[in-house]
Amino acid sequence: MRLTALDEKAEKLGLKKGLGVAEARAIHPIIDVVEEDAPADKRLLEAVADWCDRYTPLVALDGKDGLFLDITGCSHLFGGERAMLKDILSRLAGMGFDIRGAISSSPGLSWAVSRFGEGGVIAEDEAEAVLEPLPVTALRLDVSVIEALQKLGLRYVGDLMQAPRAPLTRRFGGSVLLRLDQALGHDEEPVSPRLPVASLSAERRLVDPITAEEEIISLASQVAHCLKPSFETQGVGGRVFELVLFRVDGCVFRIAAGASRPLRDPQRIAGLFSERLTAIHEDIDAGYGFEILRINVLRHENFHNIQDDFEGGRQSQVSLAVFVDKVSARLGEECLTRFELRESHIPERATFAVPAIQVLDRAPVEVTPPTAKSERPARLLPAPELMEAFAAEVPDGAPAHFRWRRIRHRVLKSEGPERIAMEWWIDGVGAKERDYFSVEDEQGYRFWIYREGHYGPDTPQWFMHGIFA
């Protein structure tokens, strides 16, 4: 077991990362060692990343202890780059973090300066001067490459700048010069945000934090009003929305809600979040209040304005959409479903359930179902259930008796068989055929059963697949 992280007091004692725990205790017996919890560390880093979302939506994770923020076009909202960096560092330091940061024109330069330099804001013409005294470790190279460079006497970034590029490429490959050019800004390095960037967004920053659910919904409606001009300009409406609540202590809550039709109406958008908050209110702790409220539009679609008719047909469609939105927001998308056809002659594959909120605004797909030789049951089981069959007529007759779910049934009437071959491109060439029968027992109940395979060396199995009305 080795040390993976140290606090300030441990560093002052002369302990180093990678030192064995037994050696560290031999040097200083009173040290307190806590086992590393990588998942907890990642959750903490993601929580800090959520908090940084107040500055820019483009936040990316960097290893186990770093974050990249693309603040292009955002710094003027916080008084400039220096004021923005000071605000970030001071706030996180107030939360108890030992943090360093830098702002520059390239992610590689910011990474190097914040970890091996003094941090701060680096101008573009200062990049070379700032990088020269830093160790080659600041270029994010592999450990083996760093050791090889140091053996050749290339210990600092300035040494690499002065060395011929061709021999470096032949000796170490293209990684050394790539990282050097990325740090200098000569080679572009994109930052991949950890969360999808919203197509539209609006927020409100509060002087006095809010805690009550009614205040949140009221403010959400006001923020949604700010989205309406952008919707109208682009001719779209929102389908998936996200309410982001920034608590004063740094905790961030994200609440997503969808709509069955593109929405622009601020009241209906706020109503979606009202239903969601009602469903998950126990999971949200307002604490000392929320200081920032933001609404993101994660997905939008074209918005079609349709005038109401005199018979109220349009109003009935709108009412159905409102009902589906409210129920889905409170109970989840899977609570209301619509069946759609699929091009398959296997009964359990011919239809599939889709959340109604996803397809309510879409016309049904025209699929011609396969022609059936017999009536289909009103209720099809989710999956065929194995049953016991007795005294079946060989080779193609229905059973005289069968036991299903511990109840024995005596067959009085039967119709069949209807043979259905399996889909070899899905089930394989050796999949057994099914012979379906419609049977009626002595109490008048009708069932849809089938035999899998044929009589031969192996006895075929019987399955219950559906129940008639």
Side-chain angles (χ1 to χ4, degrees):
M1 297 183 65
R2 297 186 176 276
L3 302 180
T4 59
L6 303 167
D7 61 7
E8 294 180 354
K9 293 183 178 180
E11 290 177 348
K12 292 179 180 180
L13 294 175
L15 301 179
K16 303 292 183 182
K17 291 183 181 180
L19 183 67
V21 175
E23 300 175 50
R25 290 191 183 280
I27 299 173
H28 298 283
I30 62 173
I31 63 171
D32 184 18
V33 180
V34 179
E35 186 174 355
E36 182 183 25
D37 188 349
D41 292 342
K42 184 178 181 180
R43 290 194 299 269
L44 176 62
L45 186 61
E46 290 177 345
V48 178
D50 282 334
W51 179 87
C52 290
D53 194 48
R54 66 182 60 208
Y55 297 101
T56 172
L58 302 175
V59 182
L61 300 180
D62 174 39
K64 297 181 178 180
D65 59 353
L67 295 172
F68 280 126
L69 278 67
D70 187 345
I71 61 170
T72 305
C74 301
S75 59
H76 69 282
L77 301 174
F78 302 90
E81 293 179 346
R82 296 187 183 278
M84 182 178 185
L85 180 61
K86 181 180 179 181
D87 185 65
I88 295 175
L89 299 182
S90 60
R91 282 173 174 261
L92 289 176
M95 297 179 189
F97 292 101
D98 181 10
I99 182 171
R100 297 172 180 82
I103 295 179
S104 70
S105 58
S106 68
L109 179 57
S110 296
W111 191 93
V113 174
S114 60
R115 294 178 183 270
F116 296 91
E118 297 180 356
V121 180
I122 313 300
E124 292 188 19
D125 55 354
E126 299 175 348
E128 292 190 8
V130 171
L131 276 175
E132 283 184 355
L134 300 182
V136 292
T137 312
L139 294 181
R140 299 175 293 170
L141 298 170
D142 293 337
V143 177
S144 58
V145 176
I146 294 173
E147 293 176 350
L149 290 171
Q150 293 175 343
K151 289 180 181 179
L152 294 177
L154 302 174
R155 300 181 178 277
Y156 300 96
V157 179
D159 299 333
L160 295 178
M161 293 180 182
Q162 299 173 5
R165 297 175 69 91
L168 285 176
T169 303
R170 287 196 300 268
R171 184 72 178 269
F172 303 101
S175 62
V176 175
L177 295 182
L178 174 63
R179 289 302 192 184
L180 179 60
D181 290 341
Q182 287 177 343
L184 292 173
H186 300 159
D187 199 329
E188 186 176 356
E189 181 181 2
V191 174
S192 300
R194 53 185 288 268
L195 297 176
V197 180
S199 56
L200 294 172
S201 180
E203 70 175 33
R204 184 69 58 85
R205 295 174 180 265
L206 307 173
V207 177
D208 297 324
I210 59 176
T211 56
E213 182 176 325
E214 295 77 9
E215 296 176 318
I216 296 174
I217 298 304
S218 176
L219 187 60
S221 177
Q222 298 177 28
V223 175
H225 269 286
C226 301
L227 292 171
K228 194 172 183 179
S230 299
F231 282 144
E232 295 174 348
T233 301
Q234 300 184 26
V236 298
R239 282 294 301 271
V240 180
F241 300 89
E242 182 185 49
L243 177 65
V244 188
L245 301 172
F246 295 83
R247 207 166 63 184
V248 294
D249 62 350
C251 188
V252 180
F253 296 94
R254 299 180 182 273
I255 305 171
S260 57
R261 299 172 183 267
L263 290 185
R264 289 181 182 175
D265 184 17
Q267 296 298 329
R268 287 191 59 187
I269 296 174
L272 295 178
F273 295 118
S274 176
E275 299 294 336
R276 288 296 296 143
L277 288 173
T278 301
I280 62 173
H281 69 280
E282 295 181 356
D283 299 329
I284 296 182
D285 181 11
Y288 292 105
F290 301 107
E291 59 180 348
I292 301 176
L293 185 147
R294 177 186 300 165
I295 294 181
N296 294 327
V297 182
L298 301 183
R299 195 182 65 165
H300 60 74
E301 294 179 0
N302 293 333
F303 187 89
H304 302 287
N305 288 312
I306 302 177
Q307 184 175 359
D308 292 348
D309 55 24
F310 290 106
E311 297 180 355
R314 173 63 179 166
Q315 184 59 38
S316 63
Q317 298 178 13
V318 173
S319 300
L320 176 61
V322 173
F323 170 76
V324 171
D325 292 345
K326 286 186 176 182
V327 175
S328 300
R330 178 171 295 194
L331 304 178
E333 291 187 356
E334 303 298 331
C335 67
L336 294 176
T337 58
R338 189 177 84 174
F339 288 96
E340 295 197 347
L341 295 176
R342 182 189 286 126
E343 292 184 347
S344 175
H345 64 272
I346 306 300
E348 64 266 29
R349 297 176 186 163
T351 59
F352 63 101
V354 183
I357 194 173
Q358 297 181 10
V359 296
L360 187 64
D361 197 39
R362 188 177 71 197
V365 179
E366 294 294 336
V367 178
T368 303
T371 303
K373 295 183 179 180
S374 63
E375 182 184 2
R376 291 292 184 258
R379 177 190 174 194
L380 197 68
L381 300 180
E385 297 183 7
L386 185 65
M387 69 178 197
E388 296 179 85
F390 308 97
E393 297 180 7
V394 179
D396 294 322
H401 304 267
F402 66 88
R403 182 184 290 114
W404 174 58
R405 294 184 178 178
R406 301 181 181 181
I407 299 177
R408 191 181 183 96
H409 301 267
R410 181 170 174 265
V411 177
L412 293 183
K413 300 178 182 179
S414 67
E415 179 184 352
E418 177 188 357
R419 181 161 294 176
I420 296 179
M422 303 303 291
E423 297 171 335
W424 59 265
W425 56 94
I426 297 176
D427 305 295
V429 179
K432 297 180 180 179
E433 297 174 335
R434 298 178 179 179
D435 284 347
Y436 278 87
F437 297 86
S438 299
V439 299
E440 181 178 333
D441 67 2
E442 55 188 357
Q443 295 181 354
Y445 294 108
R446 300 173 61 203
F447 305 93
W448 204 41
I449 64 176
Y450 72 84
R451 183 187 66 241
E452 186 178 68
H454 309 286
Y455 287 99
D458 299 327
T459 302
Q461 292 181 317
W462 288 84
F463 292 86
M464 175 68 66
H465 203 167
I467 303 172
F468 291 91

